Short mmCIF file of all heavy atoms in Angstrom, two decimals:
data_model
loop_
_atom_site.label_atom_id
_atom_site.label_comp_id
_atom_site.label_asym_id
_atom_site.label_seq_id
_atom_site.Cartn_x
_atom_site.Cartn_y
_atom_site.Cartn_z
N ILE L 3 113.00 123.93 44.75
CA ILE L 3 113.73 125.14 45.14
C ILE L 3 112.91 126.40 44.82
O ILE L 3 112.47 126.59 43.66
CB ILE L 3 115.05 125.25 44.36
CG1 ILE L 3 115.95 123.94 44.63
CG2 ILE L 3 115.72 126.53 44.57
CD1 ILE L 3 117.15 123.73 43.72
N ASP L 39 111.27 124.46 49.20
CA ASP L 39 112.34 125.03 50.03
C ASP L 39 112.49 126.49 49.67
O ASP L 39 112.98 126.95 48.73
CB ASP L 39 113.65 124.22 49.61
CG ASP L 39 114.84 124.50 50.55
OD1 ASP L 39 114.49 124.75 51.76
OD2 ASP L 39 115.97 124.52 50.13
N THR L 45 123.22 131.08 48.53
CA THR L 45 124.41 130.50 49.17
C THR L 45 125.38 130.01 47.93
O THR L 45 126.17 129.17 48.21
CB THR L 45 124.11 129.40 50.04
OG1 THR L 45 123.03 128.59 49.53
CG2 THR L 45 123.63 130.01 51.43
N ARG L 46 125.16 130.44 46.82
CA ARG L 46 126.01 130.09 45.67
C ARG L 46 127.39 130.65 45.90
O ARG L 46 127.60 131.57 46.56
CB ARG L 46 125.44 130.78 44.34
CG ARG L 46 124.25 130.27 43.88
CD ARG L 46 124.11 130.07 42.38
NE ARG L 46 122.86 129.38 41.92
CZ ARG L 46 121.71 130.02 41.94
NH1 ARG L 46 121.64 131.36 42.27
NH2 ARG L 46 120.67 129.41 41.61
N ASP L 78 114.90 127.66 53.96
CA ASP L 78 116.48 127.56 53.61
C ASP L 78 117.09 128.72 54.13
O ASP L 78 117.06 129.82 53.61
CB ASP L 78 116.47 127.51 52.06
CG ASP L 78 117.87 127.41 51.54
OD1 ASP L 78 118.78 127.52 52.33
OD2 ASP L 78 118.04 127.38 50.37
N ASN L 97 116.24 123.75 56.29
CA ASN L 97 117.41 123.52 55.49
C ASN L 97 118.50 124.37 55.81
O ASN L 97 118.40 125.58 55.29
CB ASN L 97 116.93 123.46 54.05
CG ASN L 97 118.13 123.17 53.02
OD1 ASN L 97 119.04 122.52 53.43
ND2 ASN L 97 118.00 123.69 51.82
N VAL L 99 122.48 125.18 55.16
CA VAL L 99 123.75 124.72 54.48
C VAL L 99 124.94 124.71 55.46
O VAL L 99 126.00 124.15 55.03
CB VAL L 99 123.99 125.57 53.15
CG1 VAL L 99 122.84 125.40 52.14
CG2 VAL L 99 124.23 126.97 53.53
N VAL L 120 117.60 119.47 57.70
CA VAL L 120 118.55 119.05 56.71
C VAL L 120 119.91 119.62 57.22
O VAL L 120 120.11 120.78 57.27
CB VAL L 120 118.19 119.54 55.33
CG1 VAL L 120 119.40 119.05 54.38
CG2 VAL L 120 116.90 119.07 54.89
N MET L 122 123.67 119.94 56.01
CA MET L 122 124.40 119.83 54.92
C MET L 122 126.01 120.16 55.14
O MET L 122 126.27 120.90 56.00
CB MET L 122 124.00 120.91 53.83
CG MET L 122 124.53 120.59 52.44
SD MET L 122 124.34 122.03 51.26
CE MET L 122 125.82 122.92 51.84
N ASP L 168 123.21 115.59 54.11
CA ASP L 168 123.31 116.09 52.68
C ASP L 168 124.80 116.34 52.50
O ASP L 168 125.39 117.10 53.24
CB ASP L 168 122.57 117.36 52.59
CG ASP L 168 122.61 117.97 51.24
OD1 ASP L 168 123.47 117.65 50.42
OD2 ASP L 168 121.71 118.88 50.98
N GLY L 170 126.15 118.18 50.41
CA GLY L 170 126.60 119.49 49.93
C GLY L 170 127.34 119.54 48.58
O GLY L 170 128.42 120.07 48.56
N ILE L 171 126.80 119.02 47.54
CA ILE L 171 127.44 118.96 46.24
C ILE L 171 127.80 120.41 45.86
O ILE L 171 126.83 121.39 45.87
CB ILE L 171 126.58 118.23 45.20
CG1 ILE L 171 126.38 116.82 45.47
CG2 ILE L 171 127.16 118.48 43.80
CD1 ILE L 171 127.63 115.95 45.50
N PHE L 173 129.71 122.57 47.42
CA PHE L 173 130.06 123.49 48.45
C PHE L 173 131.40 123.22 49.12
O PHE L 173 131.63 122.43 50.04
CB PHE L 173 128.97 123.32 49.56
CG PHE L 173 127.69 123.98 49.34
CD1 PHE L 173 126.68 123.39 48.60
CD2 PHE L 173 127.34 125.29 49.80
CE1 PHE L 173 125.52 124.03 48.27
CE2 PHE L 173 126.26 125.98 49.54
CZ PHE L 173 125.27 125.26 48.78
N LEU L 195 119.63 113.64 51.56
CA LEU L 195 119.05 114.55 50.59
C LEU L 195 120.30 114.85 49.59
O LEU L 195 121.27 115.12 50.08
CB LEU L 195 118.51 115.79 51.21
CG LEU L 195 117.88 116.86 50.25
CD1 LEU L 195 116.86 117.70 51.06
CD2 LEU L 195 119.01 117.99 49.79
N LEU L 196 119.88 114.88 48.32
CA LEU L 196 120.90 115.34 47.32
C LEU L 196 120.50 116.48 46.49
O LEU L 196 119.39 116.56 46.05
CB LEU L 196 121.20 114.19 46.25
CG LEU L 196 122.44 114.55 45.39
CD1 LEU L 196 123.70 114.32 46.22
CD2 LEU L 196 122.42 113.71 44.15
N GLY L 197 121.31 117.64 46.58
CA GLY L 197 121.00 118.81 45.80
C GLY L 197 122.02 118.91 44.72
O GLY L 197 123.23 119.34 45.02
N ALA L 198 121.75 118.60 43.45
CA ALA L 198 122.71 118.60 42.34
C ALA L 198 122.10 119.36 41.23
O ALA L 198 122.77 119.54 40.08
CB ALA L 198 123.16 117.28 42.07
N SER L 199 120.84 119.72 41.30
CA SER L 199 120.14 120.41 40.13
C SER L 199 120.87 121.52 39.46
O SER L 199 121.23 122.50 40.25
CB SER L 199 118.82 120.80 40.66
OG SER L 199 117.98 121.31 39.62
N LYS L 201 123.66 122.15 38.77
CA LYS L 201 125.05 122.49 39.40
C LYS L 201 126.22 122.53 38.45
O LYS L 201 126.12 121.81 37.37
CB LYS L 201 125.34 121.80 40.73
CG LYS L 201 124.44 122.28 41.88
CD LYS L 201 124.87 121.97 43.19
CE LYS L 201 124.03 122.55 44.30
NZ LYS L 201 124.27 121.99 45.55
N ARG L 235 116.63 117.68 45.82
CA ARG L 235 116.28 119.16 45.86
C ARG L 235 116.47 119.72 44.45
O ARG L 235 117.65 119.68 43.84
CB ARG L 235 117.32 119.85 46.75
CG ARG L 235 116.99 121.36 46.96
CD ARG L 235 117.87 121.93 48.00
NE ARG L 235 117.69 123.36 48.20
CZ ARG L 235 118.31 124.33 47.38
NH1 ARG L 235 119.13 123.97 46.49
NH2 ARG L 235 118.09 125.57 47.58
N HIS L 237 115.14 122.17 40.77
CA HIS L 237 114.50 123.28 40.11
C HIS L 237 113.24 122.87 39.23
O HIS L 237 112.30 123.48 39.24
CB HIS L 237 115.39 124.11 39.22
CG HIS L 237 116.56 124.63 39.95
ND1 HIS L 237 117.88 123.95 40.14
CD2 HIS L 237 116.83 125.85 40.50
CE1 HIS L 237 118.65 124.71 40.69
NE2 HIS L 237 118.17 125.83 40.87
C1 7PJ H 1 121.97 122.96 48.29
C2 7PJ H 1 121.17 123.66 49.26
C3 7PJ H 1 122.22 121.65 48.48
C4 7PJ H 1 120.92 121.72 50.48
C5 7PJ H 1 121.88 125.05 47.68
C6 7PJ H 1 122.07 125.56 44.28
C7 7PJ H 1 122.91 126.19 45.30
N1 7PJ H 1 120.64 123.03 50.34
N2 7PJ H 1 121.20 125.01 48.87
N3 7PJ H 1 121.65 120.93 49.60
N4 7PJ H 1 122.31 123.80 47.32
N5 7PJ H 1 120.32 121.15 51.46
O1 7PJ H 1 120.96 125.17 44.51
O2 7PJ H 1 122.56 125.59 43.14
O3 7PJ H 1 122.81 120.90 47.80
S1 7PJ H 1 122.03 126.62 46.86
#
Side-chain angles (χ1 to χ4, degrees):
I3 300 165
D39 192 33
T45 44
R46 291 218 174 77
D78 175 357
N97 174 29
V99 298
V120 180
M122 198 196 79
D168 181 341
I171 296 299
F173 282 83
L195 180 149
L196 189 77
S199 182
K201 282 192 176 171
R235 182 178 178 276
H237 300 86

